[in-house]
Amino acid sequence: MAAHLSYGRVNLNILREAARKELREFLDKCAGSKAIVWDEYLTGPFGLIAQYSLLKEHEVEKMFTLKSGRLPSADVKNIIFFVRPRLELMDIIAENVFSEDKMHSARDFHILFVPRRSLLCEQRLKEQGVLGSFINIDEYILDLIPYDSDLLSMDHVSTAFSKGLMTLQALYGTIPQIYGKGECARHVANMMLRMKREFAGSQNQILPVFDTLLLLDRNVDMLTPLATQLTYEGLIDEIYGITNGYVKLPPEKFAQKKQGEASKDLPTEPKKLQLNSAEELYAEIRDKNFNAVGAALSKKAKIISAAFEERHNAKTVGEIKQFVSQLPHMQAARSSLANHTSIAELIKDITTSEAFFDNLTVEQEFMTGVDTDKVNTYIEDCISQKDPLIKILRLVCMQSVCNNGLKQKVLDYYKREILQTYGYEHMLTLNNLEKVGLLKPQTSSRNNYPTIRKTLKLWMEDANEQNPNDISYVYSGYAPLSIRLTQVLARPGWRSIEEVLKMLPGPHFEERQQLPAGLHKKRQQGENRTTLVFFLGGVSYAEIAALRFLSQMEDSGMEYIIATTKLINGTIWIKSLMDRPESQTP
Amino acid sequence: MSFVTANWNPLGEAFYRKIELYDMCWDLKDALRDCLLAAAPYGGPIALLRNPHRRSPSSRPQLEIYSASGVAIASFPWKSGPVVHLGWTVTDELLCIQEDGSVLIYDMFGSFKRHFSMGQEVVQSQVLEAKVFHSPYGTGIAIVTGSSRFTLATNIDELKLRRLPEVPVLQGKPSCWVVLTQDRQTKVLLSNGPELYILDNTSCTAVSPPGLSPQAGSIVHMSVSFSYKYLALFTDTGHLWTGSSQLQDKLSEIDTKKSLPPKQMVWCRRPKSQQPSVVLMWDRLLMVAGCLLVGELDGVRIISSTSQELLQEVPLVCQDIFKIASMAPGALLLEAHREYEVRTLPEGDQGAKHGETTLIWHIAASFGKCFLTDFSPDQFVSTCRELRVLNAVRESSVGLPLTHAQFKQMTLQVLIDRLVYRQFYPLAIEICRYLKIPDYQGVSRVLKHWASCKVQQKDLSDEAIAQAVCVKVGDSPGVSYSHIAAKAYECGRTELAIKLLDFEPRPPPVCQAGDITPLTSCVSVYTVVTYLKNEMNRGDFFMTLRNQPVALCLYRQFCKLQEQETLKDLYNQDDDHQELANYYVAASYREKRLDSRLSLLQGAVDEYNKAKNEFAVKATEDEMRLLRFQRKLDDEKGAGLLGLSLQATMEALLALGLHKQAEQLYRDFRVPDKRYWWLKLKSLAEKEEWEELEKFSKSKKSPIGYLPFVEVCMKSNNKYEARKYVSKVTPEQKVRAHLAISDLEGAADAAIERKNESDVGAVLARCAGVCRDTSDM
């Protein structure tokens, strides 16, 4: 269980264990049988930390989803609400408690706020007259959730980056060097240094695992998430969306076809699959460019069938026994292969469509700086065809970013087209996009994007998708800016790109944290350095793939662990900035 | 040096020494007679209630509190009911147990904290006797009532009253009793004449101490040791029995030849004691009349009206050193050092005070240390430092007489807390610095307490306090101004709270809509802000907030969730026209009635105008125009348009065949030709109005070319109509047009004509597809 977390160089299982321990302690505080009422949003993140079995060990007998009205009946002593500190949820809880009180059942109520207690929420409970009913009110600080052996996320915590980083340093030692770029990064670093001063004296005596921390503000590189990811995992996320390590897929391709039996009743429930590097095949292909996945899958198919053929060669009892012992593993590999072949087929249907191709062509034109200063015909057509608004916004924002802002006339034209076609209520959405700088009028006459592109080599003509030699393979030509910054930092250093750093928004900085004497690492010859890259405001799967690629490059000498506030793609990102996104019909 | 052993007295195999701690600073006229007394262990304060039984209102009993050295801390007349017993909690709070079973709690400065009752039935039956006891669970109280029933509370901070079962034969109060804590259970041991009973939660069991002679008589006094391990019983024939409190072993039994029961009997032993012993005190006999014995971890403090002494067993190591002709290493070392000093230095003044004696040993030890090369000095250094600290707090003005063993048991943290509690801030800080405690555990913590106390000083102005706090606290790590501010707010000093928030060096947290989970520090900011909101008039409130970036930011978040209206006022105050306009736009969508919706939008237009956002002005005016248009048509034709986007409205109009109206919108709203053509094209094709479509195609040159015409026709599977437009398609798109209608030959011709490789490729690909299809058949 969760073995994939301990594979990497930095054992992230420690973090998971720490989180589990806290959960157990809370559960033990409420003696007796329990039912947990879940804020549905939290089930995902909690699934990454504790399976039901752990909860069961601590006398959790029932689990419900938080809903207004009466609680389902359960013969338990304790009712525990696991909720985010949201006012609307407090009203529902109050309703639940009242209806229980009416039933005259002697229950103990508890609340666990994730990730922080909130005074406002407690006040709301008080107003509702139920605050006194709660025996334990506690918080569960879910700062960082380990997703995979090199990936951490603080999915729903927006203000706790610094706290999360402190937790991390408490477990993995002080990080001696801090680099950062962007407003948020500066801010987080300041908070961290202040907290560090507050804990001065409680010097932790752990040998540092990380050599460097790089804080990157999403504002610094707004282009990358807007581009369509072209790695296998990235495409799964773009098309179907990965939430908390799971993906839901259309079921048709997964129908079990037994021989001689016509599969009449196709499953209607979406197929839910877990995706992480515990699955050998997935670990192998997740970060590949999708165009290289087919070959990898067929190679794997050959290996597996060859392995099954081995049985004919097994002659002696010993050989047969050995073959049989390998069977479970081989069968797992075969079903994994079948799953991924199906997924790849699903994706291929889409990537070979004309619409996908046209969209990608326009994206690449923008990234290479073709006609970014004019109204784009393709976008115009898409609006005419009433394509999903998010797709339109993604493209318009991308054009704006690649042109360092749009000419006022062009910007107004797009905005008017959008308002007239999708409704005037999107005025607020457009306003939000302008506030974060995704959309903006060109202020200076000079567009500095080409300079940035050239200096950082953001566009590589000859990206090799099959056997990549550069990170640009993840977007079939575009090398993500954020990762280029990371790469340059390791070698030759940011001093070489001072000019470009100045063009990008927000300050760049370097800080050092004193290590207690005796904790200075004595590096073995040839031992890699480890950098924790923290993306403030989200990271895409393709960027992760690019960083993993850098880790694996033989001459890089650097290993990367990735932490982020959120896993994003262009769609999720734009959606989060839309006003009233729920009223949105895609 | 010969003085050291002068006050040693042998008893059995061990020596006992009596050390004078203080000449008491107090001036007690009636000595300690006729009063209730309580002294807290670990050198805690002493409480004294004079004449507790005097009830006339003209001469109320006086409650006095002194430090261990007799410095007066508080004194006030007792106005509540008759007190039966006084006691101290582990946190130095005074418990006054009254006859009616109510317990009043005061802090050591004599301020009332709270009260609770030991049960309703006690009011009737009255408390006869009470005892305060300490256990790992905290401080507890046990009482026995007039109806001979015992009631226990093991921890007064988490009050749970337990009424113990009845003792069958008992009338009135038992002759004597103690509280025992054993195996995590609290029990009462009581005697009624010669019988001994153990009373626990469920039962009352008769027990007998092993080896107590039958003729010893009835038990009139008992005492349990500090650790609850040993028990001493005193009988009316003067026999003293000592043994384990489990009543399994007997230690000794002696005949004291005293028929009177002692007034007080206390164990005197230390951890790893050689022999536990009991100190007994009779009125007018052993000591001066009226004094108080306080059992400590490692001895007994004897407090009289004039002085205070510590009686304790001399530790074995000391005996080894100072025994006559001792050859223990310590003794030799001391001797060597003495010789050395005699030869080099004039003998200094060597007062025999306890602390200085220890110092002498340490000087000797440091002398010896020079000859030991591989001995780590750490332990030596830290012990020396600790002893110096103990000497400092033993100062009469501070009055915390602690032995090293007590200090170790109590921990440094608690000692500092006690100093802080007694408001010896400078000394506490000195000690923290001297012992090099990390700031966040030491100095910062003291400063935080100091500041929290400072803000409660009523005689100082807000400005003065804020300044004083700022100067002292500065930006010491670990001290949160918002915490101090919250305290000020609790005391009703909101202005001061706000001033203090200004000092908070933490930058405002990253705010994000919908997220109300700020840093912990912000919680108190919220408290202050919500308070202010309720207390101040709105204008003043906003003005106050304006200068508080942290508070303002948080308040905005709060309003977004809770009070949209207030948000508006806030924007208004700030002249933030853009946000105000956005607010109106958002509000207009919550509004069901069209008129109010329009007026909100008009509000938005006005604000956008002020914000000089021309685009938004135009767009919002357009929106209003559209809404009015939609309502008109809905009224006239029942078209159901209200709320649709412009595009959707035109679509609906075309679908309804209202071409003229659609046309009007197209012109009025300056819809780009391209989009309109697409719209009309699709609409006509959907309704299969092919003639209209052809007419439309000829109305003027198509801004979108003619390939879309081919494609929409094919979408309706009308190859015949599609063919009409192929010839009009531009040369670049010809191949695609031919392919669209599956005219491979035409496509091939066009491709060859264009001499374009990719076009040829496209045709070939399609051909291959067709071939495969046919071959499959």
Side-chain angles (χ1 to χ4, degrees):
Chain A
M1 197 173 64
H4 61 284
L5 297 177
S6 43
Y7 283 166
R9 164 121 175 265
V10 177
N11 184 356
L12 293 183
N13 230 339
I14 301 177
L15 197 62
R16 186 167 173 274
E17 266 317 307
R20 284 162 65 101
K21 181 163 161 272
E22 234 179 281
L23 184 62
R24 283 199 299 264
E25 279 168 3
F26 175 78
L27 288 175
D28 289 343
K29 248 194 231 172
C30 320
S33 54
K34 313 168 182 56
I36 295 182
V37 184
W38 286 98
D39 172 353
E40 212 167 8
Y41 186 89
L42 292 176
T43 48
F46 265 90
L48 292 168
I49 296 163
Q51 269 86 355
Y52 184 47
S53 57
L54 173 104
L55 301 175
K56 223 169 173 177
E57 274 167 36
H58 293 264
E59 295 184 83
V60 175
E61 289 173 2
K62 290 264 167 64
M63 310 237 261
F64 310 119
T65 332
L66 185 64
K67 267 192 249 118
S68 55
R70 265 182 50 199
L71 283 171
S73 64
D75 186 22
V76 291
K77 187 160 168 287
N78 298 286
I79 305 243
I80 312 178
F81 295 91
F82 278 33
V83 289
R84 285 167 296 158
R86 300 250 166 173
L87 291 173
E88 62 274 17
L89 299 181
M90 296 307 110
D91 296 347
I92 301 179
I93 291 179
E95 248 182 76
N96 285 177
V97 171
F98 272 133
S99 61
E100 277 299 299
D101 281 351
K102 250 181 241 153
M103 310 271 292
H104 301 294
S105 39
R107 293 280 174 71
D108 288 351
F109 293 101
H110 315 270
I111 293 189
L112 188 64
F113 282 116
V114 184
R116 294 271 183 274
R117 268 176 94 143
S118 143
L119 194 77
L120 279 184
C121 288
E122 284 175 45
Q123 232 164 21
R124 174 60 71 95
L125 289 174
K126 202 168 168 189
E127 280 162 27
Q128 298 271 15
V130 291
L131 186 66
S133 311
F134 292 95
I135 296 186
N136 282 311
I137 297 182
D138 234 315
E139 62 183 11
Y140 185 67
I141 307 169
L142 210 55
D143 287 332
L144 285 160
I145 309 165
Y147 266 75
D148 219 314
S149 55
D150 58 355
L151 176 60
L152 301 165
S153 167
M154 304 195 302
D155 226 354
H156 49 280
V157 193
S158 65
T159 53
F161 317 125
S162 337
K163 278 241 170 121
L165 280 169
M166 294 309 284
T167 311
L168 208 67
Q169 293 192 76
L171 293 172
Y172 297 105
T174 307
I175 307 173
Q177 264 187 319
I178 304 175
Y179 291 91
K181 171 74 189 164
E183 278 311 332
C184 261
R186 179 70 265 185
H187 180 85
V188 166
N190 286 348
M191 297 265 277
M192 243 177 87
L193 294 172
R194 163 148 180 112
M195 284 189 204
K196 162 103 181 154
R197 267 203 302 138
E198 289 190 12
F199 292 112
S202 68
Q203 283 285 12
N204 83 45
Q205 293 297 325
I206 300 168
L207 197 71
V209 173
F210 302 107
D211 300 284
T212 311
L213 167 67
L214 172 59
L215 293 162
L216 280 178
D217 189 337
R218 192 70 269 177
N219 276 2
V220 174
D221 171 19
M222 297 204 277
L223 173 56
T224 305
L226 291 173
T228 304
Q229 310 169 64
L230 295 178
T231 58
Y232 181 52
E233 189 169 38
L235 275 168
I236 296 178
D237 186 44
E238 292 278 348
I239 298 167
Y240 300 106
I242 301 174
T243 33
N244 293 310
Y246 283 90
V247 65
K248 282 185 185 161
L249 296 161
E252 297 80 22
K253 296 238 175 185
F254 296 93
Q256 293 276 330
K257 272 186 213 136
K258 289 193 183 108
Q259 281 192 338
E261 194 183 310
S263 52
K264 275 175 202 154
D265 31 32
L266 282 168
T268 45
E269 283 281 298
K271 168 98 175 168
K272 201 174 171 193
L273 280 177
Q274 191 174 14
L275 301 172
N276 63 39
S277 42
E279 190 184 344
E280 196 185 310
L281 175 60
Y282 188 61
E284 225 170 279
I285 58 172
R286 64 196 301 185
D287 298 325
K288 283 194 190 306
N289 185 296
F290 185 66
N291 285 337
V293 167
L297 285 176
S298 73
K299 201 173 114 200
K300 190 77 180 177
K302 276 183 200 132
I303 294 171
I304 291 176
S305 61
F308 274 101
E309 284 310 307
E310 280 289 304
R311 70 172 181 269
H312 301 302
N313 301 335
K315 296 271 159 37
T316 66
V317 178
E319 280 168 351
I320 290 170
K321 209 170 156 189
Q322 201 200 346
F323 176 80
V324 170
S325 74
Q326 282 171 351
L327 260 181
H329 177 74
M330 286 160 59
Q331 271 158 351
R334 188 157 66 176
S335 93
S336 158
L337 177 69
N339 277 341
H340 287 291
T341 311
S342 302
I343 299 175
E345 277 170 23
L346 281 168
I347 292 176
K348 187 145 198 200
D349 289 349
I350 289 166
T351 52
T352 50
S353 72
E354 208 168 304
F356 186 88
F357 179 79
D358 289 347
N359 185 66
L360 198 63
T361 310
V362 174
E363 282 185 12
Q364 300 198 339
E365 277 173 15
F366 287 158
M367 289 190 284
T368 46
V370 177
D371 289 342
T372 50
D373 54 345
K374 297 193 193 107
V375 171
N376 182 286
T377 333
Y378 177 71
I379 298 181
E380 244 180 336
D381 287 349
C382 288
I383 295 176
S384 301
Q385 305 299 324
K386 270 194 148 180
D387 279 357
L389 176 58
I390 291 184
K391 173 183 172 183
I392 309 293
L393 292 175
R394 235 176 123 158
L395 284 170
V396 173
C397 290
M398 191 165 183
Q399 187 180 351
S400 170
V401 172
C402 289
N403 199 52
N404 193 22
L406 294 167
K407 278 188 190 142
Q408 191 70 50
K409 225 179 73 194
V410 175
L411 179 62
D412 284 356
Y413 178 81
Y414 278 137
K415 278 162 71 179
R416 216 161 60 92
E417 283 295 278
I418 290 167
L419 292 181
Q420 288 194 352
T421 309
Y422 299 93
Y424 287 99
E425 66 265 33
H426 295 294
M427 180 94 112
L428 299 174
T429 300
L430 292 173
N431 186 57
N432 288 347
L433 294 174
E434 285 181 71
K435 261 198 248 172
V436 297
L438 269 170
L439 267 187
K440 62 177 182 186
Q442 206 172 42
T443 41
S444 67
S445 52
R446 230 179 87 78
N447 170 14
N448 54 24
Y449 176 73
T451 319
I452 298 172
R453 185 183 69 230
K454 277 169 208 149
T455 317
L456 293 179
K457 299 201 186 75
L458 297 187
W459 186 261
M460 305 294 276
E461 267 315 327
D462 45 357
N464 187 340
E465 295 168 347
Q466 304 292 332
N467 295 302
N469 50 9
D470 180 75
I471 55 169
S472 56
Y473 85 92
V474 297
Y475 286 97
S476 297
Y478 167 69
L481 196 161
S482 55
I483 311 303
R484 270 288 192 257
L485 287 179
T486 314
Q487 195 181 10
V488 173
L489 177 68
R491 199 159 30 179
W494 274 1
R495 205 155 297 162
S496 62
I497 52 163
E498 201 69 27
E499 283 301 305
V500 165
L501 282 175
K502 272 187 204 142
M503 287 176 190
L504 295 169
H508 57 281
F509 59 88
E510 181 185 348
E511 299 278 357
R512 273 167 202 283
Q513 296 198 93
Q514 276 301 325
L515 282 182
L519 286 187
H520 291 279
K521 221 173 176 178
K522 287 176 200 81
R523 201 174 307 282
Q524 308 276 306
Q525 186 69 36
E527 189 189 332
N528 278 353
R529 299 168 62 82
T530 307
T531 297
L532 176 65
V533 189
F534 201 131
F535 291 89
L536 303 163
V539 67
S540 69
Y541 286 98
E543 285 172 295
I544 295 171
L547 272 181
R548 285 186 184 138
F549 171 78
L550 286 183
S551 286
Q552 282 156 14
M553 274 213 325
E554 282 191 2
D555 54 346
S556 81
M558 187 64 88
E559 190 147 332
Y560 295 97
I561 302 288
I562 307 137
T564 185
T565 49
K566 204 171 166 50
L567 284 157
I568 58 165
N569 57 40
T571 304
I572 293 174
W573 196 26
I574 297 282
K575 221 180 206 165
S576 74
L577 289 164
M578 285 178 75
D579 217 272
R580 312 184 342 131
E582 63 280 359
S583 68
Q584 191 49 48
T585 37
Chain B
M1 292 310 287
S2 54
F3 294 123
V4 172
T5 53
N7 55 359
W8 287 20
N9 291 303
L11 176 68
E13 288 179 1
F15 286 88
Y16 285 82
R17 67 174 175 215
K18 210 161 72 178
I19 301 157
E20 192 183 328
L21 292 174
Y22 298 115
D23 288 327
M24 297 303 277
C25 302
W26 59 26
D27 180 23
L28 297 181
K29 286 183 199 79
D30 308 318
L32 296 172
R33 229 168 291 150
D34 283 335
C35 51
L36 278 179
L37 268 171
Y42 292 101
I46 304 169
L48 192 148
L49 185 65
R50 290 177 185 282
N51 310 315
H53 305 300
R54 216 185 294 161
R55 289 189 192 188
S56 76
S58 57
S59 63
R60 290 215 162 90
Q62 190 78 6
L63 183 70
E64 293 166 7
I65 299 173
Y66 295 96
S67 78
S69 55
V71 176
I73 297 175
S75 168
F76 57 96
W78 184 253
K79 292 180 186 161
S80 197
V83 177
V84 178
H85 188 84
L86 291 179
W88 290 96
T89 68
V90 281
T91 51
D92 281 351
E93 283 174 326
L94 180 64
L95 301 174
C96 305
I97 303 156
Q98 300 196 131
E99 216 169 63
D100 60 358
S102 50
V103 180
L104 285 75
I105 304 179
Y106 291 82
D107 70 14
M108 61 179 288
F109 302 102
S111 356
F112 176 74
K113 303 285 272 197
R114 61 191 176 97
H115 75 101
F116 60 87
S117 163
M118 289 300 286
Q120 266 314 303
E121 68 277 8
V122 189
V123 181
Q124 291 303 316
S125 53
Q126 304 248 304
V127 180
L128 294 184
E129 272 183 0
K131 287 190 198 300
V132 172
F133 58 95
H134 306 286
S135 71
Y137 308 110
T139 303
I141 293 180
I143 57 164
V144 56
T145 65
S147 51
S148 307
R149 292 293 294 268
F150 284 89
T151 303
L152 275 184
T154 7
N155 179 4
I156 56 156
D157 290 325
E158 278 168 42
L159 195 66
K160 251 186 207 154
L161 294 178
R162 283 194 293 136
R163 203 156 179 232
L164 300 186
E166 223 166 327
V167 185
V169 288
L170 190 63
Q171 291 290 322
K173 63 174 182 184
S175 19
C176 58
W177 57 287
V178 287
V179 183
L180 291 175
T181 299
Q182 283 171 348
D183 312 329
R184 300 192 295 148
Q185 242 204 19
T186 312
K187 305 169 187 170
V188 168
L189 181 69
L190 66 121
S191 74
N192 186 24
E195 284 110 49
L196 202 57
Y197 299 95
I198 282 198
L199 199 54
D200 61 20
N201 278 352
T202 50
S203 60
C204 173
T205 331
V207 286
S208 61
L212 181 65
S213 14
Q215 65 272 33
S218 38
I219 299 159
V220 289
H221 209 306
M222 57 176 82
S223 163
V224 69
S225 71
F226 205 78
S227 58
Y228 294 106
K229 266 195 196 141
Y230 298 99
L231 180 72
L233 305 171
F234 191 86
T235 67
D236 56 358
T237 56
H239 279 78
L240 177 70
W241 177 93
T242 55
S244 76
S245 62
Q246 305 273 11
L247 291 172
Q248 273 154 3
D249 318 284
K250 168 177 153 181
L251 286 173
S252 70
E253 186 180 335
I254 30 168
D255 188 354
T256 61
K257 308 252 170 23
K258 300 273 185 301
S259 53
L260 270 175
K263 194 179 170 205
Q264 238 190 319
M265 180 164 85
V266 175
W267 279 91
C268 176
R269 63 180 303 279
R270 57 163 63 239
K272 293 182 207 147
S273 203
Q274 291 165 284
Q275 57 167 48
S277 60
V278 181
V279 178
L280 296 92
M281 178 190 89
W282 280 270
D283 257 341
R284 302 165 204 288
L285 196 82
L286 191 82
M287 316 256 169
V288 206
C291 63
L292 178 68
L293 301 184
V294 187
E296 292 278 9
L297 175 74
D298 54 351
V300 176
R301 273 189 299 141
I302 305 164
I303 303 169
S304 75
S305 57
T306 53
S307 66
Q308 184 171 166
E309 292 164 313
L310 175 70
L311 179 68
Q312 62 173 178
E313 183 188 319
V314 177
L316 198 60
V317 278
C318 300
Q319 287 180 31
D320 285 348
I321 293 173
F322 292 107
K323 254 195 299 203
I324 295 163
S326 168
M327 296 298 278
L332 294 179
L333 178 59
L334 193 66
E335 189 61 29
H337 174 244
R338 197 156 44 196
E339 288 299 315
Y340 171 76
E341 264 197 346
V342 167
R343 259 178 280 153
T344 53
L345 299 161
E347 198 150 334
D349 169 44
Q350 289 181 352
K353 283 264 172 70
H354 169 72
E356 287 162 34
T357 316
T358 22
L359 262 181
I360 292 165
W361 297 343
H362 279 95
I363 293 165
S366 91
F367 172 74
K369 191 170 61 84
C370 305
F371 303 97
L372 289 171
T373 45
D374 47 0
F375 172 75
S376 156
D378 289 356
Q379 205 193 347
F380 171 75
V381 170
S382 71
T383 313
C384 275
R385 284 174 181 276
E386 284 167 5
L387 285 172
R388 290 197 59 178
V389 167
L390 289 181
N391 277 339
V393 299
R394 196 181 295 139
E395 267 305 301
S396 177
S397 56
V398 182
L400 276 172
L402 287 174
T403 64
H404 194 249
Q406 286 168 17
F407 167 73
K408 279 293 181 202
Q409 176 76 20
M410 166 185 218
T411 73
L412 177 64
Q413 285 296 318
V414 176
L415 176 63
I416 289 171
D417 279 350
R418 293 205 165 185
L419 288 172
V420 165
Y421 184 45
R422 287 163 169 74
Q423 302 183 0
F424 291 114
Y425 301 112
L427 178 64
I429 289 180
E430 275 307 304
I431 291 178
C432 292
R433 295 212 171 116
Y434 182 66
L435 293 183
K436 301 207 170 100
I437 306 173
D439 271 358
Y440 74 103
Q441 286 178 341
V443 175
S444 295
R445 221 156 54 100
V446 178
L447 280 174
K448 194 170 94 186
H449 282 288
W450 168 80
S452 307
C453 184
K454 186 83 186 167
V455 296
Q456 298 176 40
Q457 280 182 7
K458 297 208 169 56
D459 49 331
L460 288 176
S461 75
D462 290 343
E463 194 58 42
I465 292 180
Q467 268 312 313
V469 169
C470 178
V471 168
K472 277 263 163 52
V473 178
D475 60 347
S476 304
V479 186
S480 144
Y481 280 95
S482 34
H483 176 95
I484 306 170
K487 196 86 196 169
Y489 153 77
E490 256 173 47
C491 310
R493 302 188 74 157
T494 38
E495 281 292 313
L496 174 60
I498 295 195
K499 282 208 168 67
L500 288 168
L501 281 181
D502 255 357
F503 297 132
E504 181 64 85
R506 275 174 231 263
V510 191
C511 300
Q512 211 181 62
D515 188 354
I516 48 161
T517 54
L519 289 172
T520 6
S521 72
C522 300
V523 171
S524 40
V525 178
Y526 267 131
T527 321
V528 175
V529 170
T530 8
Y531 172 83
L532 291 178
K533 198 192 82 186
N534 296 333
E535 293 301 304
M536 293 168 93
N537 85 43
R538 190 153 273 196
D540 292 348
F541 173 59
F542 286 156
M543 285 315 280
T544 318
L545 270 188
R546 223 170 162 175
N547 305 322
Q548 314 290 330
V550 188
L552 185 61
C553 172
L554 287 171
Y555 190 63
R556 282 223 180 97
Q557 277 186 52
F558 169 78
C559 290
K560 269 213 175 114
L561 287 153
Q562 289 266 287
E563 300 180 12
Q564 292 273 351
E565 269 303 297
T566 325
L567 198 60
K568 188 179 94 185
D569 298 347
L570 208 58
Y571 290 141
N572 220 340
Q573 176 97 15
D574 290 352
D575 292 332
D576 190 340
H577 300 296
Q578 174 70 27
E579 281 302 327
L580 200 52
N582 287 343
Y583 168 81
Y584 282 129
V585 171
S588 81
Y589 282 96
R590 286 193 296 271
E591 193 58 64
K592 290 273 176 313
R593 285 184 41 245
L594 186 63
D595 290 336
S596 8
R597 195 162 163 183
L598 284 169
S599 76
L600 280 167
L601 286 174
Q602 186 55 51
V605 169
D606 296 346
E607 293 302 327
Y608 279 136
N609 254 323
K610 286 184 202 158
K612 299 205 168 54
N613 187 339
E614 282 165 43
F615 176 85
V617 170
K618 187 80 193 13
T620 314
E621 280 172 354
D622 280 355
E623 178 175 13
M624 292 167 69
R625 202 142 49 100
L626 178 64
L627 284 171
R628 291 203 183 96
F629 176 89
Q630 288 171 336
R631 178 166 63 174
K632 192 170 137 243
L633 269 197
D634 282 357
D635 289 351
E636 283 170 10
K637 320 249 169 184
L641 301 173
L642 198 68
L644 294 180
S645 74
L646 177 65
Q647 182 83 350
T649 309
M650 292 192 298
E651 221 172 272
L653 288 174
L654 288 176
L656 289 169
L658 300 169
H659 290 270
K660 236 177 79 193
Q661 282 83 351
E663 201 87 4
Q664 189 197 336
L665 286 180
Y666 153 64
R667 278 195 311 269
D668 284 358
F669 286 85
R670 299 197 357 255
V671 174
D673 286 350
K674 279 192 194 169
R675 178 148 57 83
Y676 189 66
W677 273 68
W678 263 113
L679 181 65
K680 184 140 184 182
L681 172 65
K682 280 210 283 193
S683 165
L684 290 175
E686 239 155 64
K687 289 170 44 185
E688 310 210 336
E689 294 180 2
W690 305 119
E691 263 174 60
E692 278 295 316
L693 184 67
E694 199 170 346
K695 239 194 265 170
F696 177 55
S697 78
K698 288 171 181 161
S699 63
K700 67 180 203 186
K701 188 169 177 286
S702 162
I704 50 172
Y706 292 90
L707 185 58
F709 282 76
V710 177
E711 283 170 349
V712 290
C713 293
M714 283 313 292
K715 220 175 178 182
S716 309
N717 286 320
N718 195 332
K719 209 181 218 178
Y720 173 76
E721 287 294 329
R723 216 179 273 279
K724 288 183 182 170
Y725 304 102
V726 172
S727 58
K728 297 180 126 184
V729 171
T730 54
E732 298 89 58
Q733 293 180 320
K734 272 259 161 63
V735 176
R736 268 176 94 177
H738 280 289
L739 287 178
I741 57 167
S742 308
D743 172 12
L744 293 179
E745 234 166 278
D749 288 347
I752 292 161
E753 200 174 310
R754 292 248 305 138
K755 296 192 175 108
N756 181 309
E757 209 173 308
S758 75
D759 278 352
V760 176
V763 178
L764 280 177
R766 270 292 283 280
C767 290
V770 172
C771 291
R772 200 166 53 237
D773 286 350
T774 40
S775 67
D776 276 356
M777 286 192 282

